[in-house]
């Protein structure tokens, strides 16, 4: 890393748009505006073409991997945001990459209020962020909800108490197979975050903040416990199972 000051959020101005208007962050053609950061590689290096666009879809694939080898990846959008709705339409496909951890089968996520790709350590596995976890059913008849909460380097407040466990399941249904699912997160600065699946609210919490563990290789300058998260980056995960996104869109919300 350079000696430059490490920032938790980007200083770049957000997209210009009116409140209530959906902006397409993925243009359906290429990865313009997006930067990959894969564990063990510098920001901007797209190992084995993990993140790519084919047939109008943003894909996370592993056909160039002999073994997953802990190469957790994230694809960062160029701007930071504070008050907004982020929506993706996704589906899981194919088989998990060899060597992927069992918990990562049919597993991806939308990271919000995150640090920048440039501020991540070379060997850092996850950005310090709030994760809207995307899960697919395993076809075994057991419930496996999506739009869950996970907290790499963060905590939240639920029912007036600090929530320090790493993940919390939503109240969503289980989505087996290769069906498309729409997940949205309504992010209102450090005040409140709500998760939605196919238009139905499934989770809510307040006061997202720095704290806890579940992230390795992050700089102490980023890990400032108790710091409320007012704004940050958005990124999409690569956790060893192929996943496709046909839409990634954002709606700015008015700030108080």
């Amino acid at each position: 890393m350079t000696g430059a000051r490490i920032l938790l959020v980007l200083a770049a101005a957000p997209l210009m748009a009116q409140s209530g208007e959906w902006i397409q962050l993925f243009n359906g053609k290429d990865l313009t505006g997006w930067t990959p950061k894969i564990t063990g590689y510098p920001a901007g290096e797209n190992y084995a073409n993990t993140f790519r666009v084919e047939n109008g879809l943003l894909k996370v694939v592993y056909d160039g991997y002999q073994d997953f080898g802990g190469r957790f990846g994230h694809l960062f959008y160029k701007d930071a945001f504070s008050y907004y709705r982020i929506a993706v339409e996704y589906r899981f496909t194919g088989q998990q990459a060899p060597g992927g951890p069992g918990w990562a089968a049919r597993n991806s996520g939308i990271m919000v209020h995150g640090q920048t790709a440039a501020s991540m350590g070379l060997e850092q596995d996850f950005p310090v962020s709030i994760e809207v976890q995307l899960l697919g059913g395993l076809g075994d008849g057991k419930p496996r909800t999506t739009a869950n909460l996970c907290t790499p380097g963060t905590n939240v407040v639920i029912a007036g108490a600090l929530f320090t466990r790493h993940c919390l399941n939503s109240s969503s249904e289980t989505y087996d197979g290769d069906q498309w699912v729409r997940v949205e997160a309504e992010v209102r600065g450090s005040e409140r975050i709500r998760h939605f699946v196919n238009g139905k609210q499934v989770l809510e919490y307040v006061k997202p903040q720095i704290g806890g563990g579940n992230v390795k290789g992050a700089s102490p300058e980023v890990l400032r416990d108790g710091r409320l998260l007012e704004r940050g980056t958005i990124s999409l995960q690569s956790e060893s199972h192929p996943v496709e996104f046909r839409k990634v869109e954002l709606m700015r919300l008015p700030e108080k």
Side-chain angles (χ1 to χ4, degrees):
M1 302 181 72
T2 68
R5 182 183 178 189
I6 298 174
L7 298 178
L8 184 66
V9 298
L10 288 172
L15 291 171
M16 299 301 294
Q18 298 299 315
S19 176
E21 175 187 350
W22 285 107
I23 308 162
Q24 302 307 311
L25 303 189
F26 168 51
N27 64 17
K29 300 176 182 179
D30 54 36
L31 295 179
T32 297
W34 296 87
T35 298
K37 173 63 182 80
I38 296 173
T39 305
Y41 301 87
E45 184 170 340
N46 190 9
Y47 173 79
N49 200 22
T50 301
F51 300 102
R52 66 184 72 165
V53 177
E54 295 176 336
N55 301 318
L57 301 175
L58 195 166
K59 297 184 177 183
V60 183
V61 295
Y62 305 96
D63 53 9
Y65 287 61
Q66 294 289 329
D67 184 84
F68 184 65
R71 297 183 182 93
F72 296 102
H74 296 81
L75 186 66
F76 286 79
Y77 191 67
K78 63 183 180 67
D79 293 327
F81 301 94
S82 182
Y83 286 70
Y84 61 94
R85 288 180 75 106
I86 178 70
V88 303
E89 295 179 8
Y90 74 95
R91 68 177 179 184
F92 292 101
T93 63
Q95 300 299 312
Q96 188 179 13
W103 54 262
R106 297 175 64 80
N107 189 338
S108 183
I110 314 165
M111 321 303 278
V112 302
H113 273 346
Q115 67 182 110
T116 64
S119 71
M120 289 182 67
L122 186 67
E123 299 296 335
Q124 188 172 339
D125 51 0
F126 300 96
V128 174
S129 58
I130 298 293
E131 177 185 347
V132 182
Q133 185 187 49
L134 307 177
L135 292 182
L138 299 177
D140 55 6
K142 298 179 181 179
R144 198 169 191 242
T145 58
T146 191
N148 304 314
L149 165 69
C150 291
T151 54
T154 54
N155 294 315
V156 301
V157 172
I158 297 176
L162 190 66
F163 181 82
T164 59
R165 285 174 23 216
H166 180 45
C167 291
L168 176 67
N169 287 346
S170 77
S171 61
S172 85
E173 299 176 10
T174 299
Y175 296 91
D176 289 309
D178 61 356
Q179 62 183 303
W180 290 101
V181 182
R182 182 179 176 90
V183 166
E184 298 182 34
E186 179 187 284
V187 182
R188 294 185 177 272
S190 62
E191 300 167 21
R192 181 182 67 187
I193 299 178
R194 298 194 294 168
H195 298 187
F196 300 81
V197 179
N198 292 336
K200 180 181 178 181
Q201 182 176 326
V202 295
L203 192 60
E204 180 175 357
Y205 45 91
V206 300
K207 296 183 179 178
Q209 58 193 269
I210 302 295
N214 302 298
V215 61
K216 69 175 185 179
S219 166
E221 294 185 48
V222 172
L223 294 173
R224 300 176 183 175
D225 285 4
R227 178 181 177 183
L228 290 174
L229 294 172
E230 296 283 352
R231 62 189 289 112
T233 60
I234 294 168
S235 60
L236 304 176
Q237 275 193 329
S238 161
E239 287 198 306
S240 76
H241 200 111
V243 60
E244 299 177 350
F245 298 90
R246 66 181 180 185
K247 184 170 288 189
V248 184
E249 57 186 4
L250 180 137
M251 178 191 296
R252 293 181 64 194
L253 300 175
E255 298 187 18
K256 292 184 179 179

